[in-house]
Amino acid sequence: MKTLKSELQKQPALWIVGVILSLEHLLTVFFWLSERPLLLILSPSTPSVCWPLFSQCEAFKPGPELLQMLLGTYAVLAVISSALWALKKKPQWAAGLLWALLLFKLGFILLDYRLTGNYHYIPTLITFAFLLIPDRARSLPMAFFVLYFTAGLLKLNSQWLSGSAINERLFPALFTELGVWYVLVLELGLIFLLFAKNNRWFYFVFSQLVIFHLYSWHLTRFFYPSVMLLLLGTLLITRPLVSDWSIKATFQKVFTLRSAVILTVIFLALQLPQYYLPGDAALTGEGRMYALIMYDGRVQCEPHVTLWKKDQSKETVPLTPPWLMTRTACDPLVYMRLAEHLCQWSAKDSSILQADLAVPVRYQGESQWQPLVAATNVCKKPLTYSSFFPNSWIAKFQKDFQINGSK
């Protein structure tokens, strides 16, 4: 806190960063009231999808009135925080409100796995960097560099490189194929120009990032690009605060800071499980729960539970939870949790002998399904989920698994 207060006195422009980070929470409130309705997802009538490390999340769900009060409080705190940072008043209070806003957001997200997303992950990391890492004029651009460079590494797979990960296209296929390669060049190469001595190179790469997020609007809807465009304003604020920009010097100065090293190591460690766990994480969902996620490919699934009865009949119950996004639409964890809820209901029906969970998957446009999950008797032999180790009940499809002789 002392270093933050000192830097705010020496570099008053940094107060605007606090405004940006506070406004992101107001944008989140709007998102949770419109596109991803928090009040409905966390409603008592909606089955919870709990995180593996917080499997009792349903017991902590607030009632409807308390939930509305908490969301309203979150919005009010975001307004007050924005005002304090804009007026350059009481740095300790302003920083404390940013911490409170982080805790509110993380508290909501912990109550249901469906509330996760890069659009929360990234601003949370940027806020941690702002609050914890000194020399913010350099460390904040470094935080953006680490995020974009990591996102580029995650795109090094055939789903992205072929352009098949882009489900909706504004331009002909050729432009899409060239575009996905250019994004790689941007995130793995041009992103180093954030530290260029020449301002023209900096503003060139900055404009490319803006165009990239504007283009993604039709793919990810309004919230994600809006958050990223808002956060990119941080780069415009920090650029004039350093007179001697240099790639080598920036890396050396930032990574001699203990807090920068610790946060970077934690972030990179969270990216590793999706690489060391067997199978394609985009299909299995394993290893990427606490990681940055790139835009996923075209995978479809038809999850269902088969109920076997004493009279030798069976009933198939589709599992179609609302408010899933691309990264969770076929995630086995989601359907494991829904199967648990179904087991609670079926326990009251003495005619049901057994419940089997199945999650067949396929690439969009293909005809044949492959069993991602085929678990039997899940009510009497409950499934368990590990975030950092392989789960035996999930099939370990490799990248680009073949269906009907194609990929």
Side-chain angles (χ1 to χ4, degrees):
M1 181 59 210
K2 289 182 180 180
T3 61
L4 176 57
K5 186 176 180 180
S6 174
E7 289 182 36
L8 290 172
Q9 291 173 344
K10 294 177 182 177
Q11 300 174 320
L14 289 175
W15 285 89
I16 305 175
V17 177
V19 176
I20 288 173
L21 297 176
S22 301
L23 289 177
E24 184 274 326
H25 290 282
L26 274 180
L27 197 59
T28 298
V29 172
F30 178 74
F31 177 60
W32 280 343
L33 289 174
S34 56
E35 187 174 320
R36 191 158 292 273
L38 180 81
L39 298 176
L40 294 177
I41 294 174
L42 297 182
S43 167
S45 61
T46 303
S48 299
V49 179
C50 294
W51 291 77
L53 301 180
F54 190 36
S55 58
Q56 302 301 317
C57 69
E58 193 152 19
F60 293 86
K61 266 188 181 181
E65 293 182 359
L66 179 57
L67 181 58
Q68 291 182 34
M69 187 183 303
L70 290 171
L71 188 58
T73 302
Y74 178 51
V76 170
L77 290 178
V79 171
I80 297 173
S81 179
S82 301
L84 283 181
W85 286 101
L87 296 172
K88 301 179 181 180
K89 300 284 187 180
K90 299 184 180 300
Q92 289 181 325
W93 282 89
L97 282 172
L98 273 183
W99 279 113
L101 290 169
L102 270 182
L103 292 175
F104 261 91
K105 176 186 270 194
L106 292 175
F108 285 129
I109 293 172
L110 281 174
L111 291 175
D112 200 290
Y113 179 57
R114 285 168 293 188
L115 293 172
T116 187
N118 277 358
Y119 37 59
H120 301 311
Y121 194 85
I122 292 173
T124 297
L125 292 174
I126 297 297
T127 304
F128 276 129
F130 178 66
L131 291 172
L132 296 175
I133 305 177
D135 195 2
R136 288 158 179 84
R138 288 186 174 88
S139 60
L140 285 170
M142 181 60 68
F144 279 96
F145 168 82
V146 171
L147 286 167
Y148 279 111
F149 193 82
T150 304
L153 292 176
L154 291 170
K155 293 182 177 71
L156 293 175
N157 62 69
S158 60
Q159 279 289 298
W160 179 265
L161 297 177
S162 67
S164 59
I166 308 301
N167 297 345
E168 300 176 32
R169 304 179 181 184
L170 292 178
F171 302 105
L174 176 61
F175 288 91
T176 299
E177 292 170 5
L178 293 174
V180 295
W181 280 93
Y182 183 70
V183 170
L184 274 183
V185 172
L186 173 63
E187 294 183 334
L188 295 179
L190 296 179
I191 199 64
F192 283 89
L193 296 177
L194 288 179
F195 315 112
K197 293 181 180 179
N198 192 313
N199 282 337
R200 286 181 297 179
W201 286 115
F202 165 80
Y203 286 110
F204 169 73
V205 72
F206 179 84
S207 67
Q208 301 307 295
L209 294 173
V210 170
I211 292 170
F212 169 56
H213 291 297
L214 285 174
Y215 177 80
S216 71
W217 200 289
H218 76 291
L219 297 168
T220 60
R221 303 181 70 108
F222 87 93
F223 183 62
Y224 196 178
S226 297
V227 166
M228 293 307 301
L229 291 171
L230 179 63
L231 293 176
L232 284 176
T234 302
L235 297 176
L236 297 179
I237 295 163
T238 55
R239 179 68 185 181
L241 300 180
V242 177
S243 58
D244 57 340
W245 279 108
S246 162
I247 295 175
K248 182 178 179 181
T250 303
F251 273 74
Q252 288 177 340
K253 290 180 179 180
V254 171
F255 288 111
T256 56
L257 300 168
R258 181 182 300 177
S259 53
V261 173
I262 292 173
L263 286 176
T264 303
V265 168
I266 291 173
F267 169 72
L268 295 178
L270 291 174
Q271 316 308 310
L272 293 179
Q274 59 188 310
Y275 291 104
Y276 69 70
L277 291 180
D280 182 359
L283 292 169
T284 66
E286 293 181 291
R288 63 181 196 159
M289 189 164 293
Y290 306 102
L292 190 67
I293 306 299
M294 67 150 248
Y295 195 76
D296 283 326
R298 305 180 182 188
V299 179
Q300 297 176 320
C301 57
E302 288 190 351
H304 58 273
V305 169
T306 302
L307 300 176
W308 300 90
K309 301 187 176 181
K310 290 181 178 179
D311 62 3
Q312 297 185 343
S313 65
K314 67 177 181 178
E315 178 183 357
T316 300
V317 181
L319 300 177
T320 54
W323 307 299
L324 290 176
M325 57 181 181
T326 301
R327 71 175 283 181
T328 56
C330 294
D331 194 319
L333 172 67
V334 173
Y335 302 105
M336 184 194 88
R337 294 300 189 204
L338 295 181
E340 290 173 351
H341 288 286
L342 193 63
C343 287
Q344 294 174 8
W345 166 80
S346 65
K348 302 173 184 177
D349 188 342
S350 59
S351 68
I352 297 175
L353 291 176
Q354 180 174 313
D356 299 341
L357 172 64
V359 184
V361 295
R362 68 180 181 186
Y363 282 127
Q364 184 175 319
E366 297 290 350
S367 58
Q368 186 175 334
W369 297 92
Q370 296 282 356
L372 178 62
V373 176
T376 59
N377 206 11
V378 294
C379 295
K380 294 182 180 178
K381 297 185 293 183
L383 303 173
T384 58
Y385 193 96
S386 172
S387 301
F388 305 106
F389 299 96
N391 296 281
S392 60
W393 53 276
I394 301 175
K396 302 302 183 278
F397 292 126
Q398 299 300 316
K399 295 182 185 296
D400 308 317
F401 68 96
Q402 294 191 0
I403 298 177
N404 285 350
S406 63
K407 293 186 178 182

